[in-house]
Amino acid sequence: MRRFPFYGKIALALCFMAWACSWLRVEPLYRYSFFPLWLGYILTLDALNRARKGSSLLHRMGGRFPLLFLVSSLFWWIFEWFNNFVQNWHYRLDQPYTPLAYFLIASLNFSTVLPAVMETTELLSSFKPFHPHLLAEQTGPRLPLPLLLGVVALGLLCLVLPILWPQYYFGLIWLCLALLLDPVNNWFGRKSTLAHLAVGDWHFIVLPLGTLICGFFWEMWNYFSFPKWYYTVPYIEFWKIFEMPLLGYIGYLPFGLELFALYQFVLLLLRQKEDHLSF
């Protein structure tokens, strides 16, 4: 462990202050506490990564670090579109918002999802039992085209079923994007979950685990917050931990793979050869 960076101390203080404002309903700050809370979390973990390894996402990306927040916001709006069909989560707002104000505030909050997951996963992967066998710069083998097309076909099925019969297939929204995009990433030489599986690199489960840890904090900090979200999930509305049914936490595992596939797909579209992730 190296010396804990000074910006990490500021970030940790920001995290605790935003948490206190949120749960104690400190006017008017509690209404806008979500973004500073998670920004504090993200930068605190970034500082931990820097202290532990001498490197971090912020250190490696520099001025491009805010791009993670931008693409994160775009990613979550995709899931908001899915929710128009499945209606699994809902928001309790503190006051009416104009469509523009709602869009801007929601987009700012959504922007923290991807960097939070990546920073958490990076910290976990720094421990030997969780470090993937494929190095960060290794993309792994390109899989046969028929297999990739079969996975894409399965992804299309998982996309269509929740739209047509959301009461039965709502859970597939947390899997369809990974199945659709991961084969594309693999074929064009980007990192992919399929390549890790092909070489038996089960340590890549670090990504779903990192997402699950973020999920715990999302649900915990949401519980006494306002505005907040709550769930109506068919068949599993029991044994809740905070607002989320216990079985609902399973969805965080494939959600991490979806975020990874979306991120790699964006790098592919931007023709960005360099990947700043360490796992």
Side-chain angles (χ1 to χ4, degrees), residues 134-156:
L134 281 180
L135 301 179
E137 62 273 13
Q138 294 177 317
T139 59
R142 177 185 288 179
L143 301 183
L145 182 59
L147 174 62
L148 297 178
L149 291 176
V151 176
V152 170
L154 181 59
L156 285 172

Side-chain angles (χ1 to χ4, degrees), residues 77 80 91 93 97-108 110:
W77 278 114
E80 290 293 309
Y91 298 104
L93 303 179
Y97 290 90
T98 66
L100 178 60
Y102 179 84
F103 173 78
L104 293 176
I105 295 173
S107 296
L108 185 64
F110 298 161

Side-chain angles (χ1 to χ4, degrees), residues 41-114:
Y41 175 93
I42 291 163
L43 294 179
T44 298
L45 263 66
D46 189 89
L48 280 172
N49 286 320
R50 186 72 182 273
R52 180 167 172 79
K53 303 189 301 179
S55 178
S56 68
L57 269 174
L58 177 59
H59 177 242
R60 294 191 297 273
M61 296 188 73
R64 287 176 287 185
F65 188 65
L67 290 177
L68 278 180
F69 291 79
L70 176 61
V71 297
S72 174
S73 185
L74 296 174
F75 291 172
W76 188 256
W77 278 114
I78 297 174
F79 290 96
E80 290 293 309
W81 179 78
F82 282 143
N83 196 44
N84 288 328
F85 301 98
V86 299
Q87 289 292 300
N88 285 165
W89 64 91
H90 317 270
Y91 298 104
R92 289 194 179 107
L93 303 179
D94 59 302
Q95 61 185 7
Y97 290 90
T98 66
L100 178 60
Y102 179 84
F103 173 78
L104 293 176
I105 295 173
S107 296
L108 185 64
N109 293 340
F110 298 161
S111 72
T112 60
V113 173
L114 178 64

Side-chain angles (χ1 to χ4, degrees), residues 19-275:
W19 183 2
C21 288
S22 174
W23 280 16
L24 297 177
R25 308 284 174 90
V26 177
E27 289 278 4
L29 300 178
Y30 77 88
R31 295 184 174 91
Y32 312 105
S33 59
F34 186 95
F35 179 79
L37 173 61
W38 278 95
L39 180 63
Y41 175 93
I42 291 163
L43 294 179
T44 298
L45 263 66
D46 189 89
L48 280 172
N49 286 320
R50 186 72 182 273
R52 180 167 172 79
K53 303 189 301 179
S55 178
S56 68
L57 269 174
L58 177 59
H59 177 242
R60 294 191 297 273
M61 296 188 73
R64 287 176 287 185
F65 188 65
L67 290 177
L68 278 180
F69 291 79
L70 176 61
V71 297
S72 174
S73 185
L74 296 174
F75 291 172
W76 188 256
W77 278 114
I78 297 174
F79 290 96
E80 290 293 309
W81 179 78
F82 282 143
N83 196 44
N84 288 328
F85 301 98
V86 299
Q87 289 292 300
N88 285 165
W89 64 91
H90 317 270
Y91 298 104
R92 289 194 179 107
L93 303 179
D94 59 302
Q95 61 185 7
Y97 290 90
T98 66
L100 178 60
Y102 179 84
F103 173 78
L104 293 176
I105 295 173
S107 296
L108 185 64
N109 293 340
F110 298 161
S111 72
T112 60
V113 173
L114 178 64
V117 168
M118 295 310 175
E119 292 282 10
T120 306
T121 302
E122 176 148 336
L123 182 61
L124 280 180
S125 68
S126 68
F127 295 91
K128 189 173 181 180
F130 297 109
H131 191 73
H133 294 158
L134 281 180
L135 301 179
E137 62 273 13
Q138 294 177 317
T139 59
R142 177 185 288 179
L143 301 183
L145 182 59
L147 174 62
L148 297 178
L149 291 176
V151 176
V152 170
L154 181 59
L156 285 172
L157 182 64
C158 291
L159 174 64
V160 171
L161 288 176
I163 295 175
L164 296 180
W165 297 286
Q167 68 274 27
Y168 302 116
Y169 299 106
F170 55 88
L172 295 181
I173 67 171
W174 306 112
L175 190 61
C176 62
L177 293 180
L179 294 174
L180 285 171
L181 298 180
D182 203 67
V184 176
N185 294 331
N186 179 267
W187 180 255
F188 285 99
R190 299 298 321 179
K191 288 183 69 66
S192 65
T193 301
L194 288 172
H196 282 274
L197 296 179
V199 298
D201 186 6
W202 295 101
H203 285 201
F204 198 62
I205 196 175
V206 67
L207 180 58
L209 287 177
T211 313
L212 183 61
I213 290 173
C214 286
F216 172 82
F217 283 104
W218 277 318
E219 303 303 335
M220 182 193 71
W221 280 327
N222 169 69
Y223 193 61
F224 292 111
S225 298
F226 193 66
K228 66 180 299 182
W229 63 81
Y230 66 97
Y231 299 96
T232 53
V233 187
Y235 314 117
I236 62 170
E237 286 286 337
F238 53 87
W239 296 342
K240 286 190 175 183
I241 301 177
F242 309 118
E243 293 287 355
M244 172 72 84
L246 176 62
L247 295 180
Y249 284 89
I250 296 173
Y252 280 116
L253 301 176
F255 175 53
L257 301 180
E258 289 196 305
L259 287 176
F260 183 75
L262 281 162
Y263 173 70
Q264 293 296 329
F265 185 68
V266 167
L267 294 181
L268 174 64
L269 293 179
L270 296 177
R271 298 182 180 179
Q272 180 70 45
K273 293 184 179 180
E274 187 176 9
D275 184 353

